[in-house]
């Protein structure tokens, strides 16, 4: 399909621990399409950040990433050298981080950050070179685009002098200098308070309409995914357990884990007395259960669930589920 | 808080510390057992000569009065006269010949330590867990755990006595010959530098490794910045702040090291002056030296604080 921006096939990432590799992301298949926002959902520690960082090759040296396919607009990302990959970063593949305060160089002013990115952009094309020459004006315009009207003031500040919301907008502006074709946003509103979070979410929705790029939006919050994402991929213990269009998943969640996530999100929404948490905990990467990874916490578990890990099953309507309740694939 | 405001507070604090510190020094010297008159005049002194000596040097006044007299003199730039050393030199003359030697050796050692630690610490951090790292860390531990005087003797044995590259004893003051000072001061400076270089290199390595894990470094890589750019402007630039802080704390040990090294290498500096003065109960000399050391430590701390404030906008802005 020509409208697919990113294709992952069988992506696994682990960390070297005392001689062996401990996988925390396993056999992930995903497609992110042009103009869509794909939500990657799962509880803390399920491997969402590692997945995003694997795509951009941002993990530390002790990480090992393997995949059958890592295709970005016809470019085989697996074949790129370190230097070739670096050229792609920022320009065509970008990332927005969870903690905006921690994502800025604390020793440098905001203007310094913008200047560096504009200057790097300037070497790429004549149009960019023009913007880089007038980087100050271009930066102010870009800041206005992400909802910072007084950009000149903001540029004079050091990161610690700005609020989290302001920094997150600035971080988004930095990413937008190049108009990348894929943006991975890693829980970009988790560290913000409610009102600011809503403003940033609105900004993301506007961006998605305006830019027509592919978004991989990582979050643990079902309600955010509901308002932002076209499709949702649910991740559990490093595996995708369900994927499909947002509306259908909300109307009829198939995987017991997705059902649990939705129930607890709804419980929060309607302020039900007791919070409907899913009982139990994520298995640790070193001690995965033999069959279905969710089996220890699943209320529908049957003996056959422990035999082997269920395969992804196509349940129609662009939906896929990894659970024996829906067949064996 | 503006930077100037910060500066004013820090300088005011340093001056107050000098005032309090000099009183403390004065008090300790006067409460210490032993009569300076007896120490100077010897056992054969008569009661009359002792009384005359005490009157001449104001030793009969109450301590507080003596302090006020001394403080007034010091403020006018007069550190008094030595009471024991032959010729009764004005102490300021002694300082003028001694202080440059100590400052020269101290700075020389500091620069050597900085150069070694910047190279070794950075190399170790960049090649974490590799051979360079292991070697650098091992040598650093060695440098830290060697006693100053022992390492001095090793240096003398090897570079002075066996190879005859440097003199084993004595020091040409920088005022006489700058080249001579660099040459004759090399071994003492190296002896002072060794333990400092070890500490500095380890601090720098740890700080670099810690900073490299920060999210802003990942963010910088995500913009596609080249690795050397990220290292210099993100990792090194931020890792240097704790490094400079620790460096400032080390300067007081540097002075302690100077005292020992001046003895070993026979350098006419502040260290040997304060030791000689203490043995001779020449308390004006000891007071003047202690005051000078205090002023040096405080100035260095002040400079370090200012450098840190300039490096780290979070401290003052
Ligand atoms: N550098 C690393 N070295 C070793 N293990 C790591 C490293 N980074 C992450 N992990 C492990 O990988 C697993 C997945 O972590 P990841 O950060 O991807 O989770 P997440 O889904 O993003 O969670 P959160 O919602 O808390 O951000 C965790 O068990 C984590 O401990
Ligand atoms: S495979 Fe079995 S244990 Fe796993 S989610 Fe489905 S029903 Fe539950
Ligand atoms: Mg995460």
């Amino acid at each position: 399909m020509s409208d697919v921006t990113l294709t992952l096939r069988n992506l696994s990432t682990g960390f070297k621990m005392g001689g062996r590799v401990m996988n925390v992301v396993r056999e992930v298949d995903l497609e992110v399409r042009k103009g869509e926002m794909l939500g990657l959902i799962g509880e803390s520690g399920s491997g969402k950040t590692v997945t995003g960082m694997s795509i951009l090759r941002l993990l530390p040296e002790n990480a090992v990433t393997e995949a059958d396919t890592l295709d970005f607009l016809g470019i085989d990302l697996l074949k790129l050298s370190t230097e070739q990959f670096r050229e792609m970063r920022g320009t065509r593949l970008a990332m927005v981080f969870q903690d905006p305060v921690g994502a800025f160089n604390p020793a440098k002013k905001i203007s310094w950050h913008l200047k560096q990115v504009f200057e790097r952009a300037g070497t790429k094309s004549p149009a960019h070179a023009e913007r880089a020459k007038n980087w100050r004006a271009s930066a102010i315009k870009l800041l206005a685009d992400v909802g910072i009207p007084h950009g000149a003031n903001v540029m004079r500040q050091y990161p610690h002098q700005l609020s989290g919301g302001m920094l997150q907008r600035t971080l988004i502006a930095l990413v937008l200098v190049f108009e990348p074709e894929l943006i991975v946003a890693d829980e970009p509103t988790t560290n913000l308070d409610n009102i600011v979070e809503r403003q940033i979410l609105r900004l993301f929705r506007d961006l998605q309409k305006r830019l027509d790029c592919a978004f991989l939006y990582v979050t643990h919050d079902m309600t955010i995914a509901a308002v932002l994402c076209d499709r949702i991929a649910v991740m559990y213990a490093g595996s995708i357990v369900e994927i499909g269009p947002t509306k259908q998943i909300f109307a009829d969640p198939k995987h017991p884990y997705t059902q649990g996530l939705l129930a607890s999100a709804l419980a929060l929404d309607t302020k039900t007395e007791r919070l409907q948490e899913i009982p139990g905990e994520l298995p640790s990467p070193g001690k995965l259960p033999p069959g279905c990874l969710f089996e220890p916490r699943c209320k529908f578990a049957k003996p056959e669930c422990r035999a082997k890990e269920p395969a992804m099953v196509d349940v129609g309507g662009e939906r896929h589920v990894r659970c024996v309740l829906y067949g064996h694939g | 808080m503006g930077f100037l405001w910060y500066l004013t507070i820090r300088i005011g604090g340093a001056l107050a510390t000098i005032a309090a510190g000099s009183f403390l020094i004065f008090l300790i010297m006067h409460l210490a057992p032993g009569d300076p008159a007896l120490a100077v005049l010897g056992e054969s002194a008569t009661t009359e000569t002792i009384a005359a000596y005490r009157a001449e040097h104001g030793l009969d006044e109450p301590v507080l009065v003596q302090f006020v007299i001394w403080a007034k003199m010091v403020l006018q730039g007069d550190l008094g006269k030595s009471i024991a050393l032959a010729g009764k030199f004005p102490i300021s003359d002694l300082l003028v010949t001694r202080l440059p030697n100590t400052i020269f050796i101290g700075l020389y050692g500091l620069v050597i330590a900085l150069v070694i630690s910047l190279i070794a610490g950075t190399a170790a951090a960049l090649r974490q867990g590799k051979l360079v790292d292991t070697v650098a860390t091992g040598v650093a531990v060695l440098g830290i755990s060697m006693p100053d005087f022992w390492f001095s003797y090793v240096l003398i044995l090897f570079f002075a006595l066996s190879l005859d590259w440097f003199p084993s004893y004595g020091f040409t003051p920088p005022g006489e010959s700058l080249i001579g000072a660099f040459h004759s001061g090399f071994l003492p400076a190296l002896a002072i530098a060794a333990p400092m270089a070890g500490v500095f290199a380890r601090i720098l390595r740890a700080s670099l490794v810690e900073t490299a894990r920060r999210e802003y470094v990942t963010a910088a890589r995500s913009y596609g910045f080249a690795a050397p750019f990220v290292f210099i402007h993100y990792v090194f630039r931020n890792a240097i702040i704790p490094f400079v802080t620790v460096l400032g704390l080390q300067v007081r040990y540097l002075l302690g090291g100077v005292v020992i090294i001046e003895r070993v290498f026979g350098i006419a500096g502040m260290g040997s002056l304060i030791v000689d003065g203490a043995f001779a109960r020449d308390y004006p000399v000891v007071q003047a030296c202690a005051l000078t050391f205090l002023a040096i430590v405080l100035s260095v701390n002040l400079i370090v604080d200012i450098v840190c404030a300039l490096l780290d906008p979070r401290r003052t802005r």
Side-chain angles (χ1 to χ4, degrees):
Chain A
M1 264 204 300
S2 63
D3 67 340
V4 175
T5 300
L6 181 79
T7 310
L8 300 183
R9 290 278 167 262
N10 203 13
L11 175 107
S12 296
T13 295
F15 295 95
K16 280 185 219 147
M17 299 268 179
R20 51 187 279 259
V21 177
M22 195 94 84
N23 273 350
V24 296
V25 168
R26 279 162 311 99
E27 294 157 33
V28 166
D29 294 344
L30 279 181
E31 267 177 22
V32 194
R33 298 168 194 161
K34 187 169 189 284
E36 89 163 340
M37 190 155 323
L38 173 67
L40 184 59
I41 275 229
E43 67 199 285
S44 188
S46 54
K48 308 180 297 291
T49 299
V50 172
T51 305
M53 302 259 259
S54 298
I55 297 167
L56 271 90
R57 274 202 215 170
L58 286 174
L59 289 168
E61 271 182 21
N62 65 332
V64 184
T65 300
E66 282 170 347
D68 293 344
T69 309
L70 199 54
D71 180 281
F72 172 69
L73 295 168
I75 302 165
D76 184 354
L77 292 181
L78 295 168
K79 289 227 170 71
L80 297 185
S81 70
T82 306
E83 195 53 22
Q84 286 169 326
F85 201 96
R86 177 177 79 74
E87 282 299 322
M88 306 275 295
R89 261 192 238 120
T91 52
R92 308 187 64 182
L93 305 162
M95 183 140 181
V96 179
F97 291 86
Q98 174 170 353
D99 173 20
V101 181
F104 283 88
N105 186 342
K108 304 285 187 184
K109 289 185 178 166
I110 300 299
S111 55
W112 181 88
H113 293 83
L114 283 155
K115 181 163 180 260
Q116 300 312 318
V117 177
F118 271 108
E119 276 182 357
R120 175 164 137 71
T123 61
K124 300 296 163 199
S125 77
H128 276 128
E130 195 54 42
R131 287 204 306 160
K133 229 191 289 161
N134 305 314
W135 69 269
R136 217 169 256 284
S138 318
I140 290 172
K141 189 177 165 299
L142 192 58
L143 288 172
D145 284 350
V146 295
I148 302 178
H150 42 280
N153 288 340
V154 167
M155 292 218 292
R156 273 195 290 275
Q157 310 285 315
Y158 284 96
H160 73 275
Q161 295 170 312
L162 294 175
S163 67
M166 210 56 120
L167 287 174
Q168 195 55 283
R169 286 179 193 274
T170 310
L171 205 58
I172 293 167
L174 284 172
V175 159
L176 296 184
V177 170
F178 280 102
E179 298 175 359
E181 288 129 306
L182 175 76
I183 297 177
V184 177
D186 187 6
E187 308 203 39
T189 64
T190 303
N191 287 10
L192 306 174
D193 68 54
N194 268 342
I195 296 170
V196 181
E197 172 168 47
R198 239 168 280 166
Q199 293 169 347
I200 299 286
L201 290 177
R202 200 168 305 136
L203 174 62
F204 268 104
R205 223 173 29 195
D206 294 348
L207 285 178
Q208 188 202 11
K209 281 190 202 125
R210 204 165 76 207
L211 293 178
D212 201 32
C213 66
F215 263 104
L216 181 63
Y217 195 98
V218 171
T219 176
H220 60 259
D221 189 339
M222 269 291 190
T223 53
I224 290 182
V227 294
L228 274 186
C229 300
D230 304 293
R231 290 191 304 138
I232 291 177
V234 180
M235 185 166 240
Y236 184 79
S239 292
I240 304 290
V241 294
E242 175 159 10
I243 185 165
T246 307
K247 277 205 191 84
Q248 279 85 317
I249 287 193
F250 268 79
D252 173 25
K254 301 267 191 217
H255 197 281
Y257 179 60
T258 316
Q259 293 169 1
L261 281 180
L262 264 178
S264 50
L266 288 176
L268 262 182
D269 244 22
T270 54
K271 302 229 171 19
T272 318
E273 283 291 292
R274 244 171 49 89
L275 223 145
Q276 295 215 3
E277 291 286 356
I278 307 166
E281 278 172 21
L282 266 183
S284 79
K287 281 184 267 166
L288 295 179
C292 170
L293 300 176
F294 190 58
E295 188 269 339
R297 298 168 76 180
C298 180
K299 52 184 173 189
F300 306 110
K302 317 185 264 191
E304 63 170 310
C305 302
R306 308 179 57 142
K308 67 177 187 31
E309 188 168 8
M312 258 313 187
V313 182
D314 187 341
V315 291
E318 290 225 317
R319 299 189 61 181
H320 299 264
V321 185
R322 193 187 290 280
C323 171
V324 295
L325 297 178
Y326 306 93
H328 295 271
Chain B
M1 195 168 67
F3 183 66
L4 279 179
W5 179 233
Y6 174 83
L7 204 63
T8 315
I9 289 184
R10 289 294 293 113
I11 291 178
L15 289 177
T17 314
I18 289 208
S22 59
F23 182 65
L24 211 64
I25 292 164
F26 197 88
L27 213 60
I28 290 170
M29 283 312 295
H30 282 260
L31 295 180
D35 185 343
L38 261 185
V40 173
L41 301 173
E43 293 298 321
S44 60
T46 62
T47 342
E48 288 82 54
T49 50
I50 290 179
Y53 185 89
R54 295 184 68 90
E56 185 195 339
H57 293 281
L59 296 176
D60 294 326
E61 306 285 344
V63 174
L64 209 58
V65 175
Q66 288 190 43
F67 175 71
V68 172
I69 295 172
W70 179 68
K72 266 190 194 151
M73 277 166 51
V74 170
L75 284 178
Q76 288 160 8
D78 181 2
L79 289 164
K81 282 199 173 82
S82 157
I83 59 172
L85 296 179
K88 318 250 157 76
F89 296 107
I91 293 169
S92 39
D93 288 2
L94 282 174
L95 290 191
V96 166
T97 56
R98 301 280 187 130
L99 191 55
N101 294 348
T102 298
I103 290 184
F104 184 86
I105 294 289
L107 281 182
Y108 198 179
L110 190 62
V111 169
I112 293 177
L114 275 181
V115 171
I116 295 176
S117 63
L118 282 176
I119 296 171
T122 307
L126 285 176
R127 296 269 171 280
Q128 231 185 105
K130 309 258 167 66
L131 185 66
V132 181
D133 187 16
T134 317
V135 171
T137 308
V139 173
V141 171
L142 209 67
I144 294 166
S145 39
M146 274 184 317
D148 296 9
F149 63 89
W150 183 82
F151 184 56
S152 306
Y153 289 127
V154 172
L155 287 178
I156 290 174
L157 268 180
F158 192 68
F159 288 105
L161 301 182
S162 301
L163 293 172
D164 202 19
W165 287 356
F166 300 97
S168 63
Y169 198 76
F171 172 65
T172 314
E176 238 167 73
S177 154
L178 207 54
I179 296 175
F182 274 112
H183 183 237
S184 61
F186 184 71
L187 292 187
L190 196 58
I192 295 171
M196 278 196 297
V199 175
F200 292 176
R202 276 160 49 115
I203 302 284
L204 183 61
R205 179 192 179 279
S207 187
L208 286 169
V209 168
E210 206 267 326
T211 311
R213 289 200 198 107
R214 293 297 179 87
E215 189 167 69
Y216 52 75
V217 176
T218 312
R221 294 207 295 131
S222 84
Y223 306 140
F225 293 156
F229 180 90
V230 175
F231 182 77
I232 293 168
H233 293 281
Y234 282 79
V235 183
F236 192 80
R237 177 66 180 73
N238 286 290
I240 208 80
I241 297 168
F243 176 70
V244 173
T245 310
V246 174
L247 204 133
L249 296 176
Q250 285 290 319
V251 169
R252 62 189 69 163
Y253 301 112
L254 170 71
L255 285 177
V258 168
V259 171
I260 295 168
I261 263 60
E262 283 183 355
R263 288 245 119 186
V264 174
F265 285 90
I267 298 168
M270 296 293 293
S272 37
L273 184 63
I274 198 171
V275 173
D276 293 344
F279 278 125
R281 298 243 137 259
D282 196 342
Y283 67 88
V285 167
V286 177
Q287 269 162 215
C289 287
L291 189 62
T292 312
F293 279 138
L294 184 63
I296 293 176
V297 171
L298 287 174
S299 325
V300 170
N301 284 353
L302 192 62
I303 293 172
V304 166
D305 277 3
I306 291 171
V307 170
C308 279
L310 290 175
L311 284 175
D312 186 0
R314 283 165 296 187
R315 288 199 200 188
T316 54
R317 274 159 275 192

